[in-house]
Amino acid sequence: MKRFVAALALAVLAACAPREAPPPAAPPPPKLALAPANFADLPGWTDDRHADFLPAFARTCARLARLPDDRETGLGGRAADWRSPCAQAAAIPVGDNAAAKRFLETAFRPFLASDEAAGPDGLFTGYYEPELRGSLTRGGAYTIPLRARPADLVMVDLGEFRPELRGQRIAGNVVNGNLRPYPARAGINQGAIDNRADVLVWVNDPVDAFFLEIQGSGRVVLPDGRVLRLGYAAQNGQPYVAIGRTLIERGALTRETVSMQSIRAWLSANPAEARAVMETNPSYVFFRVLDGDGPLGAEGVALTPGRSLAVDRSLIAMGLPLWLDAEDPLTPNTRIRRMMMAQDTGGAIRGAVRGDVFWGAGSDAAERAGKMRSPGRYWLLLPQAIAERRLRGS
């Protein structure tokens, strides 16, 4: 009986004891909503040079041509749905804008892209192909390594295991039969993988190397004038943290002044603190040497300046054409309105209406990319066969 009374008393005390509030629920993941539209709904539709878009489209078609007809391509599509549009585009004479416009209007159906919760308005930024100075051997000013993908790095496409995780990836290395997190940027800088990751080239500026990782590809000019083109090979699986946010939190920059240019200027002016700030971003990118006429995007095709867009690939399939309407970062009261291709992705590109415009190489591209934080929206163009299935709900 005493044991029963004691147990009852303990139960009452436990019930009366203060409890910690449950942690806040994680926000639901963004969901893509597509609303049927007409080409007349696309702002500035008649003003684009539509033929200038076709080379980017042709690169996606070349990739799709290698796939079997029944291969899924995203948003309910299969490779077979692209055979006719790709053949039609290939027959258009070079530079024939009228024919290119007619092709798009007959072969595709536009859909306004929206976030189910936030609506159709989103953020569009820019990126470019930077140029660095480097050497194949370490020495002198060349002490900052750009590394190849380590042999023990395992990258996992979670969509291959769960359809609802399409587009999500993790990375790590196997320890005692278990996949474990790979070292973060700080650990890599301190030598954690020196014996596991070969150095492709040594460059002379840690800030340049950091921004090369953000851009994903670039050119390294060697002392003898040769150019080594590097592209993204892998990532360490750690989350991407924008150091602009870090500098705002520290009071070094404001939301109004933060840009690629202002971040670079601060890092260059504060070398003693720069490494610690850059290490607040634990993500680290590995590279590979590229051949060909341009940097490769996540789709596996060369990017086209001003016509390739990085998107959230967990929501938007690689290789989709789209119509972009966003503010021009350099010219007030002007819009960027043009056909583009979803051909790349990036660690900071998250959301149903979020994009990163590839502007190419050179100082003009760097200026435009660095200043671009443009509100805007886009319309996805689906081949008629895919559009009809979506409208039927099949």
Side-chain angles (χ1 to χ4, degrees), residues 32-39 42 45 74-75 82 104 108-114 124 309 311-312 315-325 338-343 351-354 377-384 386-387 390:
L32 173 69
L34 295 179
N38 298 306
F39 283 95
L42 277 52
W45 173 249
L75 294 180
W82 295 88
L104 291 167
F108 294 91
R109 175 75 184 268
F111 289 78
L112 176 63
S114 298
F124 295 86
L309 187 75
V311 297
D312 185 343
L315 300 169
I316 308 293
M318 292 286 97
L320 280 181
L322 56 91
W323 178 257
L324 175 66
D325 175 26
R338 61 179 63 182
M339 281 297 305
M340 304 195 74
M341 291 293 294
Q343 294 178 321
V353 191
R354 176 73 173 91
R377 56 178 60 181
Y378 53 37
W379 287 255
L380 299 183
L381 272 62
L382 302 184
Q384 292 288 358
I386 301 176
R390 289 193 66 88

Side-chain angles (χ1 to χ4, degrees), residues 70-91:
D70 60 352
R71 176 70 60 83
E72 292 186 2
T73 58
L75 294 180
R78 295 183 290 271
D81 299 318
W82 295 88
R83 304 298 187 225
S84 177
C86 286
Q88 293 176 56

Side-chain angles (χ1 to χ4, degrees), residues 80-136:
D81 299 318
W82 295 88
R83 304 298 187 225
S84 177
C86 286
Q88 293 176 56
I92 297 173
V94 175
D96 191 335
N97 287 300
K101 178 173 173 289
R102 287 194 303 271
F103 153 68
L104 291 167
E105 291 172 346
T106 57
F108 294 91
R109 175 75 184 268
F111 289 78
L112 176 63
S114 298
D115 182 291
E116 279 193 355
D121 296 308
L123 174 67
F124 295 86
T125 50
Y127 66 117
Y128 72 107
E129 187 180 21
E131 186 171 280
L132 296 79
R133 295 291 183 270
S135 171
L136 298 178

